[in-house]
Amino acid sequence: MPERVWDRLRVSPAQAGIAIGLMGAVMATAAARGASTGGRSRFYQAALVGFGAHAGGHLAQAVLTRGYTPGVVTAPLVVAPFSWWAWRRLGAAGVRRDDRATAVGAALLLPAAALCHAVARRLAPAPTSSSGDSG
């Protein structure tokens, strides 16, 4: 990959912490909505599906970079299985799920993830190394 692409992908530990914390707040809000509505909240359902789908992004990053990337281990072992399990549990509990609307809602959450990373890049210093260390 061209060096400029690597430069855009690199994040400092501070940037990663901020982005993860901000997205954690979004997910905590979704979980609270899910808990208060018995899993019926569209926001919760969209976040649940988006959480599972984002596992594919972690795996794709590892394939594209031909190496370890953050999340490549937990994505297939924790993230995807949990989302699949929780989605199935909602159905087994008789919670109405609209797969198409949920997929659209999950896609609409992508800008939230991008915003978390943009805010983190604004608030924290950029990585200093261009040696391939992604912090």
Side-chain angles (χ1 to χ4, degrees):
M1 263 195 259
E3 192 62 30
R4 63 184 157 73
V5 173
W6 282 114
D7 288 342
R8 289 296 301 154
L9 293 175
R10 284 188 190 94
V11 296
S12 70
Q15 289 171 337
I18 292 168
I20 291 166
L22 291 171
M23 199 62 205
V26 171
M27 294 303 293
T29 302
R33 284 291 298 147
S36 70
T37 64
R40 288 168 177 75
S41 163
R42 287 187 184 189
F43 176 46
Y44 167 71
Q45 290 184 11
L48 180 62
V49 169
F51 182 66
H54 104 279
H58 285 285
L59 297 174
Q61 284 178 333
V63 169
L64 288 172
T65 62
R66 296 185 182 139
Y68 173 83
T69 57
V72 73
V73 174
T74 56
L77 297 178
V78 178
V79 173
F82 169 78
S83 285
W84 179 80
W85 172 84
W87 190 249
R88 304 266 310 172
R89 293 284 300 162
L90 288 175
V95 173
R96 183 177 174 277
R97 302 169 306 167
D98 181 342
D99 293 348
R100 180 173 290 157
T102 300
V104 169
L108 291 174
L109 287 173
L110 285 173
L115 181 61
C116 291
H117 282 283
V119 169
R121 286 186 181 273
R122 281 295 246 176
L123 295 178
T128 56
S129 170
S130 63
S131 65
D133 177 22
S134 62

